[in-house]
Amino acid sequence: MTAREGSAGRRLSLVTVDQILSSLSNIAALIWVAHAFEPIDFGRFSLVVLVYTVVQVVFRSLISTTALVHPEDVDSRPGAILGATVVLGIGASVLCTAAGLALVAADSAMGGPVVVFGLAVPFLVLHDVGRYLAITRQRPGGAVVLDAVWFALLIVGFVGTQQLGLDSLTWLIAAWTGSGVVASLWVFAQCGAPSGGGLTWLRERWDFSWRSMVSGLSASGTALATASLMTLFSSPIAVAAFRAATLLGAPSTAVQMAVGTSAAADIARERDDPKAVWRHVRRAIAIATVVGVLNLVVLVFLPDVIGRAVLGEAWDIVEPLMLAVSLKVLLMAAQSGLRASLIGTHRIQAAMVTDVVAIVLVGACMVVGAAWGDAEGALWAMAVGTGVSTVCWWIAVIWKGRGPLPELPAQLRQVGGADGAGEDGADAPAPARRVKVAPGKHRA
């Protein structure tokens, strides 16, 4: 094994640790609410987490993924990327806070939690973007520090609210988001302060970032729509069981996300070498498959005492679903690295189309499965849909992603446009503009 391969393996290990820590913050909060609050509060907190997930997807798509495949931007102007994050974060905060105040005016129990979450949004997205900047700079230890600080502060916050008798959902949201706010300040120590030029950077990369956003929102939006449609065809208990079952598969999903993120970061720096690209893809698939098999063994044979300790009384309705969840996770393992190979080589158009097609297929299968057999039917149908979507990703990669990158237009090569779009034409600002805005900084 070469030094570079060993370094890549070490980075992958750290990214995996980081993704697990990132997931633990949300999982710990969900488990805490499940045991300390009424089921209706668990549902309300899950809704806030869902809103956070959608916000996170938007920022990861527009900013984090775009930065991930443009390491030259992260190396030369991280302040502009953080500036874009702050500006968009304030906008998202205004929208969420306004929605929360409207709920307060309507005397809704969701009002207080949404207002608290809205005020924290700029810092939470800053924390998440900071993680991806560290990964892109090939310093994933920085991302681990950010998530470790949040998780440690989260535990302190939860224990503190309990000791002080602050047992409302609003205070729990405050402990969850407040710990993230404090942890996000460490981003400035790692990357420096935000600077001007953030919106300019977004405009320069818009051809890539809007496609990335469509791809990301198709997944999160379909998940939200599917969960809503499931309530029309199945009981609320079945929907709760479905969400609880998918929660148990979260650690494995976190590992798959980690290997995909790490692969995309490495591919973006070595995208002109097809052998290197496929080396990263094979490594991602191998690791995700091993984790998927372990996930299946653990969940299918999970002792009842552990299941009840995690999910309480909900375990009895979740336990029959474990095999379907495990198969779905295992089938997703075969996709790990495929999306990263398309994104890392700037073939974002192919990735966007495949994402939309695959997620629509999975969502349609889930709704049909829910109508046919409640939560169990939805999960088995989701496993089938995931298998079909895996085939779609392999077709897209074989069709578009194999072999060397297509030659760029001669005028782009002459102005150092080595980070062009490939065959899709995306992500290549006009040559004159590149020379004017940032001459020589966009060479891959």
Side-chain angles (χ1 to χ4, degrees):
M1 182 172 64
T2 66
R4 169 169 285 190
E5 289 171 337
S7 179
R10 181 177 178 276
R11 290 196 301 271
L12 176 57
S13 299
L14 287 173
V15 174
T16 302
V17 171
D18 171 65
Q19 292 290 356
I20 292 174
L21 280 173
S22 179
S23 298
L24 281 177
S25 297
N26 292 338
I27 293 173
L30 285 168
I31 293 175
W32 186 281
V33 174
H35 286 273
F37 290 83
E38 297 296 324
I40 191 170
D41 285 321
F42 179 82
R44 289 167 180 158
F45 182 76
S46 298
L47 183 59
V48 174
V49 172
L50 184 59
V51 173
Y52 172 53
T53 301
V54 173
V55 171
Q56 205 174 45
V57 166
V58 171
F59 278 79
R60 284 182 179 177
S61 302
L62 281 178
I63 297 177
S64 300
T65 301
T66 303
L68 193 73
V69 302
H70 286 287
E72 69 278 7
D73 289 351
V74 178
D75 293 339
S76 62
R77 45 178 177 166
I81 298 173
L82 292 182
T85 304
V86 171
V87 171
L88 294 184
I90 292 173
S93 176
V94 170
L95 292 176
C96 291
T97 304
L101 291 174
L103 291 171
V104 170
D107 200 27
S108 169
M110 285 294 297
V114 173
V115 168
V116 171
F117 169 76
L119 293 175
V121 161
F123 299 93
L124 301 184
V125 296
L126 178 67
H127 181 278
D128 196 59
V129 170
R131 294 172 54 236
Y132 276 81
L133 292 184
I135 292 170
T136 305
R137 294 165 67 188
Q138 297 188 323
R139 298 174 183 174
V144 173
V145 170
L146 285 170
D147 276 319
V149 171
W150 188 349
F151 186 68
L153 292 174
L154 179 68
I155 300 302
V156 173
F158 281 175
V159 174
T161 56
Q162 184 183 50
Q163 294 298 317
L164 295 174
L166 306 174
D167 56 357
S168 70
L169 183 61
T170 299
W171 278 109
L172 183 135
I173 296 288
W176 173 53
T177 58
S179 55
V181 168
V182 177
S184 71
L185 301 179
W186 190 247
V187 172
F188 301 138
Q190 292 185 345
C191 303
S195 66
L199 296 182
T200 299
W201 176 77
L202 281 175
R203 286 195 297 269
E204 290 175 14
R205 299 308 186 191
W206 185 248
D207 282 343
F208 182 97
S209 59
W210 80 261
R211 290 174 169 87
S212 177
M213 184 174 65
V214 170
S215 180
L217 285 178
S218 66
S220 61
T222 301
L224 177 60
T226 300
S228 301
L229 289 171
M230 281 180 62
T231 61
L232 301 177
F233 300 106
S234 55
S235 67
I237 292 179
V239 176
F242 171 81
R243 291 179 177 174
T246 53
L247 173 64
L248 290 178
S252 297
T253 304
V255 174
Q256 291 178 356
M257 183 180 295
V259 297
T261 301
S262 180
D266 287 331
I267 289 170
R269 290 185 180 270
E270 302 180 67
R271 63 192 185 89
D272 292 313
D273 183 354
K275 292 182 179 179
V277 169
W278 278 96
R279 183 173 64 248
H280 294 305
V281 171
R282 288 194 299 270
R283 180 188 291 114
I285 292 175
I287 294 173
T289 300
V290 170
V291 172
V293 172
L294 292 175
N295 177 87
L296 186 149
V297 172
V298 170
L299 290 188
V300 171
F301 298 101
L302 187 69
D304 288 345
V305 63
I306 298 178
R308 290 193 177 92
V310 175
L311 296 176
E313 296 179 359
W315 171 249
D316 291 332
I317 58 176
V318 171
E319 191 272 336
L321 310 177
M322 291 297 94
L323 180 58
V325 170
S326 302
L327 287 175
K328 178 257 184 184
V329 172
L330 185 58
L331 286 168
M332 283 190 67
Q335 300 179 16
S336 298
L338 299 180
R339 188 174 189 272
S341 72
L342 293 178
I343 292 177
T345 55
H346 292 205
R347 291 180 167 98
I348 186 61
Q349 179 74 17
M352 180 187 72
V353 172
T354 308
D355 252 329
V356 172
V357 171
I359 294 301
V360 168
L361 285 172
V362 174
C365 288
M366 287 173 61
V367 171
V368 173
W372 170 62
D374 278 350
E376 188 170 5
L379 282 168
W380 278 108
M382 182 170 65
V384 172
T386 300
V388 176
S389 71
T390 299
V391 174
C392 292
W393 278 106
W394 275 103
I395 291 174
V397 169
I398 293 173
W399 177 39
K400 290 284 190 181
R402 297 197 67 170
L405 292 174
E407 287 292 328
L408 295 174
Q411 66 269 29
L412 286 184
R413 293 198 302 272
Q414 291 171 1
V415 297
D419 68 330
E423 87 283 8
D424 295 308
D427 198 41
R433 184 175 188 178
R434 295 177 67 109
V435 173
K436 178 181 179 181
V437 174
K441 287 189 178 180
H442 298 286
R443 189 175 291 108

